[in-house]
Each structure stands twice: as structure tokens, then as C-alpha cells.
Amino acid sequence: MITACVILDIGGVLEITPKTDWAERWEVQLGLPPGTVNERLRDTWRAGSVGSISELEVHEQVAASLGLCVPHAEALMADFWAEYLGTPNEELIACLQELRGDCGLGILSNSFVGAREREAELYHFDELVDQIVYSHEIGIGKPDPRAFKAACASLRVRPKHCLFIDDSAGNVEAAQAVGMQAHLFQDNAQAIKRIIAHLGVRPPGSSMPRRRAFVVQPHPCTGP
């Protein structure tokens, strides 16, 4: 029975998310010193990342913290989401589509309340992988060891059978600390090579025989 799986981060891995300087533009527009937007909204961003407030409460806090009317608060949040969601990493996504059935596929993301709905609508991540673990839904973010264990548990596999891919060195090290294999994402070519080496399957588009389908193990993720 095959237990191998691949768990990936979203921002900077499955989504290409360059800085758009949206906060700086709002600071100029509002006549605020540099860094004011994120400083005033620090608690809001944190609460949204662990799901302790709703989207409506986020908008209310943005308006109150920056002295904005409702339409301007909504416009600011639209700019926030534009950077957050970025654009799809089509090459890596295509690789995962090709690998479906060869392994377990999961996502572990430090997220924000509202991310699941938007990413499902835009990129169909809910159809791409077997399980998605969002920090705003479990109340825990990377690099907390519990986040990695939750991702493994969602696929019902042991950490040693999982390859975790993230663009943060700290998160990669944290995954390794709980017994997972891990790869620091730098580009698609290296990531795809590492995935294929981990799974022992043919490269996407190859004529090599496919590996037999992934079957979820009926045990919790409690050990290496």
C-alpha cells in the first residue's frame, strides 16, 4: 500500500505573489507615514490569519483603524487580495494534475479568512489536492509543529512519508523537525524534480509506466 504524499504551500509556491506595494499606495493616498497601514492593522492581520475574526469584522477594523468609509475599506481589501492571490503557478499546478492518483496531495497554508472561497473560485485548489489545511481554519500557522501534524493527519499518513514544499526556509526546517521530508522552493524545475524523486513516478508527459494509485492509510499521523 502506497503512503507517499506531497504537501505544498500556496503563496510563493502554487501562487506567484510578487509585492504590489498596495499598502504604500494607500499610505500616500491617505497622507500617512510609511509603514502605518500594516502597523495599525497588525492585530487584524494576525486575527484573520488564525480565523478569530470574520471577514466582516476585518472590514470593520480596517475602516476604524484607518478612518475609512466603507467603500474605501472595501477597495483597500480588494488591493490586499490582489497581492495575496497573485497568479497561478501553472507549470507546478499542471505537474500536480498529472500526479493525481499516484500519491496523496495536500496543501498547508498560512492563510487569511476568506482564502478558501477565493482560491477555490480562481484556482480550484479544492479539486487539485485531496486535503487543504488553512491556518485560519485550524487556528494554527506554520512553523508551529501542530500545523504540520494536522496536514499529515488530514491525509492519514506519517510525516516520514510526506514531502513538504515551501518558499520559507524556516517552515522547511520546522517540517523536517517533525519528521517530514522537505524542499525549499526556488523554482519549478527543482521542485518538480524533487517531487518525482520522492514519489518514484514517471515525469509528467513521460511515456514511462505510471505508479499504482495512492491509498490513504487508516492510521493517525502520530509518529515518524
Side-chain angles (χ1 to χ4, degrees):
M1 183 175 290
I2 296 173
T3 59
C5 69
V6 179
I7 300 174
L8 304 96
D9 178 38
I10 295 182
V13 178
L14 290 175
E15 292 171 355
I16 301 169
T17 54
K19 301 292 290 184
T20 62
D21 296 328
W22 66 269
E24 290 81 356
R25 293 198 307 273
W26 276 94
E27 286 162 352
V28 171
Q29 180 177 332
L30 298 173
L32 298 173
T36 299
V37 167
N38 284 321
E39 180 60 32
R40 290 187 184 178
L41 296 175
R42 186 181 307 277
D43 291 342
T44 302
W45 298 151
R46 172 58 185 166
S49 72
V50 294
S52 60
I53 58 175
S54 67
E55 276 200 79
L56 176 59
E57 289 171 323
V58 169
H59 282 241
E60 290 173 345
Q61 291 185 18
V62 166
S65 298
L66 298 175
L68 301 177
C69 63
V70 171
H72 284 173
E74 292 177 348
L76 182 147
M77 287 305 299
D79 288 343
F80 164 88
W81 283 112
E83 178 178 290
Y84 182 105
L85 296 167
T87 57
N89 185 343
E90 295 180 353
E91 182 180 11
L92 186 56
I93 289 171
C95 171
L96 298 182
Q97 290 171 333
E98 180 73 12
L99 292 173
R100 279 190 62 83
D102 289 328
C103 63
L105 293 174
I107 284 174
L108 174 60
S109 174
N110 280 358
S111 53
F112 197 77
V113 60
R116 179 181 288 271
E117 296 79 8
R118 287 170 172 83
E119 287 169 337
E121 180 180 0
L122 286 174
Y123 305 137
H124 306 288
F125 289 151
D126 56 328
E127 300 172 11
L128 178 67
V129 302
D130 303 301
Q131 296 290 337
I132 303 178
V133 176
Y134 283 111
S135 68
H136 76 273
E137 293 179 346
I138 65 171
I140 303 166
K142 301 171 289 186
D144 190 311
R146 293 174 296 173
F148 300 100
K149 292 177 181 179
C152 293
S154 73
L155 290 165
R156 291 188 287 177
V157 293
R158 298 187 183 279
K160 67 180 181 180
H161 297 139
C162 295
L163 171 65
F164 175 67
I165 298 177
D166 198 293
D167 62 330
S168 163
N171 290 337
V172 167
E173 293 169 1
Q176 292 170 332
V178 300
M180 300 174 75
Q181 300 181 52
H183 173 80
L184 179 62
F185 182 86
Q186 296 176 306
D187 59 53
N188 287 333
Q190 290 182 351
I192 291 171
K193 181 178 180 180
R194 182 68 181 86
I195 290 170
I196 290 169
H198 172 68
L199 299 176
V201 298
R202 65 177 174 81
S206 167
S207 60
M208 294 170 57
R210 293 183 68 87
R211 176 175 166 172
R212 63 192 177 92
F214 168 80
V215 180
V216 172
Q217 286 278 43
H219 57 66
C221 175
T222 57

